[in-house]
């Protein structure tokens, strides 16, 4: 080689080295480019200025968030609470105790510095805006490559702007539909992955940080928390953890202790008050596998799983692939056991999609050479370009509804064509400032019928608009009376719908309206359909109050008593035992459906104490059916009943009702008084009287003096939870390094025990999932039995139905599943010429569900 050639080679090497050096020094430009492009997409495709207009957020479930946020900011926080009672919906319930408070708390705090309407809009977008940042941070911790981290930020747009689903969570459409707490939690979840790398592997940060984030995820969305909870546990399998000096078990232990302690103020009372909430069993159904695959990005998830397995097998550094494979398995695990837990399985699809994006980045990291040579620079640049191109193409072909939904939501109620009608409705029904505002009902209608308000949920905000409590609300699962509320709505609505699958709804029944309006202290109802106008026009107990825009009519109940307090005789109250496979909540719901029993309410036996001398002499029944048989033939004269209720109300004066206080005077001291607000353990009497739940779910008190003063206080679990959280905060502030001084004795043994217990818990979940009484399995088996009957395979169908056509199963489910099991069993008996046995089963259903909508169409084969 001549001197000239050598010089050229040296110059080339110098050029390459200089290029590599500059690439390493200035690769932050890729991050700047990535986030500039992401910001440009938001700015160019979305009308972001709407975030800063002082209008009330609307659209889907989003339309109901402002009312609950307003309650937190202007009522709960000034009282030093984050969750507490509201009389706005469901006859009263504990708001935020069974929903996720952190995103609302963030919005409420922002609301002290800007209009609350704007604070809510900004908070709803925080999860979406911060997700690329979260991906950048965690991808950089995983790959140690800033360019790949920038590529991850770009690829996050595939998740954000995916429009294959609208309710699973995390993407734009789900967030606009109202799932902004999920978006908030997903962003924290992605941050958590990188933080765990930093704390457990690189040891650059204290485990306090991922622990706090894990706790914040719990306060943001429990379904995301379920997957996130498993992430720290993965690091117990590191080879490094075998070194006692590393003390991984202690770190994981304290991560969980701190996380649970941070959330304890909410988590502990939530667990101990679950019986006052409404469990919702949601199983998302798809017409076929193609619909399932398209809706869940199934192909994308499978691609990610394959890539993860490939890199786990091929790469020398398997850690990155193994943790992703682990998160896939956790998501899959919860997907399959979710029916057992009574939650929608599709809630665990987003975490799998998130993991797939990380899988692609890990594959890219595998492709790039280990050295810092020119190939790494070239490949990194190509990967960034590919990620950018893929993301932009995906957005171009997939994003169709996001900008429009954003514009619809954030332009607010005020911009909608029906806003003037809404103002007229508010003017006609406003009772703000009243001491005891009566309840305001509305006809349940199709989603599109009031879309010109901005959302079908507009009337859930009647308390915000008028100061009057209403029926259904956004936090359906937060109230044990939610079932009764939605059942009542179907008594005066042609449309029967609700968030629960397999519900049995009421028949349209004008005979019951007069009882319901007095029972719930309701005065007015907003009617939409001509069918219901016809019913109300012909009902002498309702007067037409006003018509609005030719679309809405408001009727008033002429026998309105205007009181939340009712006095009832001791001899009309019973004590009823609770069945093993039922619960007093289900008995209350049955009582509400069987309105003929309205004059004879009962108290669950478990709430009666030995010291309750006033109640011990009441008639007692071992179960609801015995109680019902005792009173079913009692006939109620409405006119006499209404006169009695009105006369009772005359003994009540100075009645004042708000969210946290119930006050009134009575001149019938020592007699049972029913308060028409949902029972809560938090309500305490200042005079020391016991407060009992009484059917259909209200409160009963026997006053000791004429001045009754009930306030909303704290339960033991709230106090303990608050102490734990405050202690954890003090620990984090003053003793953040204490955990490093802690040491488990017999380290290896403890580690093995912890791992064993972990897998035992997993095994128990799996065994419970395959139980014949898991709802998804029940649905499958009942469908199978119906098919077998159609095929004439009666004996095979009978073997299946014998497990379900039982009183225990009927008490446990009390819905279409139990209904169908009995119905199909009757068909089996008919096929065996046992008409008597078949009619006995049907008669049991007729008694239990005599007011059920379209009951007779299920039994045409008996005629």
């Amino acid at each position: 080689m001549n001197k000239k050639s050598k010089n050229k080679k040296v110059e080339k090497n110098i050029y390459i080295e200089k290029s590599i050096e500059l690439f390493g020094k200035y690769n932050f430009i890729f991050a700047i480019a990535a986030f500039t492009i992401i910001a440009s997409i938001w700015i160019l495709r979305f009308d972001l200025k709407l975030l800063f207009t002082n209008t009330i957020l609307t659209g889907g479930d989003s339309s109901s968030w402002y009312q609950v946020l307003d309650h937190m900011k202007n009522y709960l926080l000034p009282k030093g609470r984050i969750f507490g009672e509201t009389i706005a919906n469901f006859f009263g319930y504990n708001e935020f105790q069974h929903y996720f408070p952190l995103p609302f708390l963030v919005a409420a705090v922002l609301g002290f510095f800007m209009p609350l309407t704007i604070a809510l809009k900004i908070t709803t977008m925080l999860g979406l805006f911060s997700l690329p940042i979260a991906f950048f941070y965690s991808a950089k911790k995983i790959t140690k490559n800033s360019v790949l981290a920038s590529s991850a930020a770009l690829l996050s747009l595939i998740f954000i702007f995916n429009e294959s689903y609208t309710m699973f969570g995390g993407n734009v459409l789900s967030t606009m539909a109202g799932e902004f707490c999920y978006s908030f939690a997903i962003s924290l979840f992605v941050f958590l992955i990188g933080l765990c790398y930093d704390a457990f592997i690189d040891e650059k940060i204290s485990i306090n940080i991922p622990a706090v984030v894990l706790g914040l995820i719990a306060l943001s969305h429990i379904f995301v928390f379920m997957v996130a909870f498993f992430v720290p546990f993965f690091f117990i399998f590191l080879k490094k953890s075998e070194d006692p000096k590393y003390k991984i078990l202690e770190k994981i232990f304290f991560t969980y202790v701190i996380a649970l302690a941070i959330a304890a103020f909410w988590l502990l009372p939530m667990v101990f008050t679950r019986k006052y909430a409404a469990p919702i069993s949601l199983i998302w159904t798809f017409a076929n596998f193609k619909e399932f695959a398209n809706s869940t990005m199934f192909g994308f998830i499978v691609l990610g799983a394959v890539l993860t397995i490939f890199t786990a097998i091929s790469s020398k550094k398997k850690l990155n692939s193994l943790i992703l494979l682990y998160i896939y398995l956790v998501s899959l695990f919860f997907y399959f056991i979710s029916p057992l837990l009574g939650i929608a399985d599709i809630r665990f699809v987003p975490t799998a999609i998130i993991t797939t994006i990380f899988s692609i980045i890990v594959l890219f990291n595998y492709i790039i050479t280990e050295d810092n040579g020119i190939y790494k620079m070239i490949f990194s640049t190509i990967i960034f370009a590919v990620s950018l191109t893929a993301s932009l193409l995906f957005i171009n072909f997939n994003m169709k509804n996001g900008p429009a939904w954003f514009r619809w939501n954030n332009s607010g109620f005020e911009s909608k064509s029906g806003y003037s009608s809404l103002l007229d409705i508010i003017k006609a029904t406003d009772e703000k400032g009243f001491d005891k505002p009566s309840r305001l009902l509305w006809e349940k209608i199709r989603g599109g019928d009031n879309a010109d308000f901005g959302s079908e949920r507009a009337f859930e905000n009647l308390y915000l608009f008028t100061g009057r409590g209403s029926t259904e609300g956004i936090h359906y699962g937060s109230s044990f009376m939610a079932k009764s509320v939605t059942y009542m709505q179907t008594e005066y609505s042609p449309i029967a719908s609700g968030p629960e699958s397999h519900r049995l709804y009421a028949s349209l029944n004008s005979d019951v309206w007069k009882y319901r309006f007095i029972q719930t202290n309701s005065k007015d109802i907003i009617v939409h359909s001509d069918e219901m106008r016809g019913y109300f026009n012909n009902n002498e107990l309702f007067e037409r109050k006003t018509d609005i825009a030719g679309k809405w009519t408001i009727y008033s109940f002429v026998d309105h008593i205007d009181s939340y307090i009712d006095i009832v005789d001791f001899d009309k109250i019973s004590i009823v035992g609770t069945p093993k496979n039922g619960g007093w909540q289900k008995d209350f719901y049955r009582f509400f459906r069987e309105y003929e029993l309205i004059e004879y309410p009962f108290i669950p036996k478990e709430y009666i104490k030995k010291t309750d001398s006033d109640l011990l002499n009441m008639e007692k029944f071992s179960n609801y059916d015995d109680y019902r048989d005792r009173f079913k033939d009692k006939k109620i004269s409405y006119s006499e009943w209404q006169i009695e209720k009105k006369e009772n109300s005359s003994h009540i004066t100075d009645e004042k009702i708000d969210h946290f206080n119930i006050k009134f005077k009575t001149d019938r001291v020592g007699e049972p008084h029913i308060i028409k607000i949902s029972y809560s353990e938090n309500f305490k009497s200042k005079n020391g009287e016991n407060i009992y739940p009484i059917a259909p779910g209200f409160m009963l008190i026997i006053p000791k003096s004429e001045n009754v003063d009930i306030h909303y206080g704290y339960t033991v679990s709230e106090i303990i939870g608050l102490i734990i959280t405050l202690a954890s905060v003090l620990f984090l502030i003053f003793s953040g390094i204490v955990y490093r001084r802690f040491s488990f004795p017999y380290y290896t043994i403890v580690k093995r025990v912890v791992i064993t217990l972990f897998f035992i818990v997993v095994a128990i979940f799996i065994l419970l999932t395959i139980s014949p009484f898991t709802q998804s399995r029940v649905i499958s088996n009942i469908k199978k039995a119906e098919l077998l009957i159609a095929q004439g395979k009666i004996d095979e169908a009978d073997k299946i139905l014998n497990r379900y056509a039982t009183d225990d199963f009927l008490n446990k489910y009390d819905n279409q599943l139990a209904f169908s099991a009995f119905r199909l069993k009757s068909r089996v008996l008919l096929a065996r010429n046992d008409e008597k046995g078949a009619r006995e089963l049907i008669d049991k259903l007729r008694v239990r569900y005599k007011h059920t909508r379209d009951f007779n169409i299920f039994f045409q084969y008996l005629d």
Side-chain angles (χ1 to χ4, degrees), residues 183 230 353 381 430 553 622 670 753 797 822:
S183 303
F230 281 71
I353 299 173
T381 306
D430 193 5
T553 304
S622 60
V753 169
F822 273 70

Side-chain angles (χ1 to χ4, degrees), residues 23-253:
F23 180 82
K25 187 176 181 180
Y26 295 105
N27 60 18
F28 65 86
I29 293 174
F30 287 92
I32 294 174
F35 286 106
T36 299
I37 291 166
I38 292 169
S40 298
I41 291 169
W42 281 111
I43 293 169
L44 295 174
R45 299 294 297 272
F46 292 81
D47 193 0
L48 294 184
K49 69 176 182 294
L50 291 174
L51 292 177
F52 305 99
T53 56
N54 190 7
T55 56
I56 299 174
L57 186 70
T58 187
D61 290 357
S62 297
S63 66
S64 294
W65 291 138
Y66 184 76
Q67 175 175 281
V68 298
L69 174 62
D70 178 78
H71 185 65
M72 174 182 276
K73 192 253 182 182
N74 295 317
Y75 197 86
L76 295 177
L77 290 183
K79 293 184 177 293
R81 291 176 174 270
I82 292 177
F83 52 87
E85 183 74 5
T86 175
I87 58 174
N89 302 98
F90 301 120
F91 309 142
Y93 74 103
N94 195 321
E95 199 157 65
F96 296 115
Q97 178 59 90
H98 299 281
Y99 200 71
F100 318 113
L102 180 62
F104 290 93
L105 180 60
V106 171
V109 171
L110 287 176
F112 288 104
F113 304 97
M114 61 184 72
L116 193 61
T117 52
I118 296 174
L120 176 60
K121 292 179 184 180
I122 291 173
T123 306
T124 60
M125 299 301 295
L126 280 181
L128 296 174
F129 288 161
S130 63
L131 190 61
I133 301 172
F135 265 104
F136 178 87
Y137 171 79
S138 291
K140 187 172 182 180
K141 295 299 177 182
I142 291 172
T143 64
K144 309 296 188 281
N145 187 312
S146 295
V147 181
L148 290 183
S150 302
S151 300
L154 290 170
L155 290 175
S156 71
L157 300 178
I158 294 176
F159 175 78
I160 292 171
F161 297 117
N162 163 41
E163 295 193 356
S164 66
Y165 60 82
T166 62
M167 287 296 292
F168 300 179
N171 61 348
V172 166
L173 296 191
S174 293
T175 303
M176 295 300 101
E179 296 288 336
F180 84 97
C181 290
Y182 195 103
S183 303
F184 203 95
I186 276 289
S187 185
L188 290 174
F189 169 72
V190 174
F191 271 117
L192 177 69
I193 295 171
L195 289 170
C196 285
Y197 265 78
D198 234 359
F200 294 119
I201 296 177
D202 298 335
E203 298 185 86
K204 292 182 178 180
I205 61 172
S206 164
I207 60 96
N208 292 349
I209 298 175
V212 169
V213 170
L214 182 59
L216 295 180
I217 293 173
L219 295 171
S220 299
H221 209 291
I222 203 70
F223 301 153
V224 179
F225 174 72
M226 290 163 68
V227 178
F229 184 83
F230 281 71
V231 173
F233 187 83
F234 168 81
F235 296 93
I236 202 171
F237 299 110
L238 294 178
K239 288 184 179 180
K240 188 177 181 180
S241 69
E242 298 297 334
D243 180 4
K245 294 180 181 179
Y246 185 54
K247 298 183 180 180
I248 185 67
L249 188 60
E250 288 94 325
K251 289 190 173 186
I252 293 172
F253 173 79

Side-chain angles (χ1 to χ4, degrees), residues 342 359 404 686 797:
S359 298
K686 290 188 177 181

